[in-house]
Amino acid sequence: QVQLVESGGGLVQAGGSLRLSCAASGSILSTNVMGWYRQTPGKQRELAATITSGGSTNYADSVKGRFTISRDNAKNTAYLQMNSLKPEDTAVYYCNVEELIGFKWYTYWGQGTQVTVSP
């Protein structure tokens, strides 16, 4: 089992910045994909960014150029630096870890952290 604890959410004005952190613990493999997803009421959870243990990144078009995902493999921690925030970035942000064991993917989620961007 893998446990994820997010931190760093809060209230910020448009144009501001926030940094989210996600600390993973438990039986976590050295090879995995860590990511950030976000969800607003009434909508499906959507990808914000992912990063592999090798450092390859993927971003949603809506956050490219503004958000940066990174990770510290030694600490099993992922970060999401969010700059030039917009009101439409307001959402609950969830940390995600995916691990491939054999031929099966295992997915773990954090409890979520609220990000609110005021106009």
Side-chain angles (χ1 to χ4, degrees):
Q1 276 288 1
V2 174
Q3 295 79 43
L4 303 175
V5 178
E6 300 121 330
S7 61
L11 173 64
V12 65
Q13 286 188 328
S17 299
L18 282 175
R19 188 192 194 208
L20 306 182
S21 297
C22 172
S25 62
S27 303
I28 188 166
L29 301 179
S30 59
T31 302
N32 56 50
V33 180
M34 299 187 78
W36 290 95
Y37 290 72
R38 61 188 187 180
Q39 188 171 23
T40 54
K43 293 189 177 181
Q44 284 192 326
R45 195 170 295 185
E46 63 177 17
L47 167 75
T50 62
I51 184 168
T52 68
S53 48
S56 296
T57 58
N58 180 48
Y59 294 93
D61 288 343
S62 58
V63 307
K64 279 181 183 176
R66 300 187 299 120
F67 290 11
T68 302
I69 190 170
S70 61
R71 62 188 288 168
D72 184 333
N73 289 334
K75 296 181 179 180
N76 287 325
T77 299
Y79 306 96
L80 186 67
Q81 178 66 44
M82 303 184 293
N83 299 329
S84 301
L85 282 161
K86 304 174 181 180
E88 51 263 44
D89 294 318
T90 295
V92 177
Y93 283 71
Y94 294 92
C95 179
N96 165 278
V97 168
E98 294 189 350
E99 301 182 323
L100 181 62
I101 302 175
F103 297 101
K104 184 176 179 180
W105 283 95
Y106 291 82
T107 301
Y108 304 95
W109 293 97
Q111 80 285 357
T113 185
Q114 177 70 46
V115 171
T116 302
V117 185
S118 62

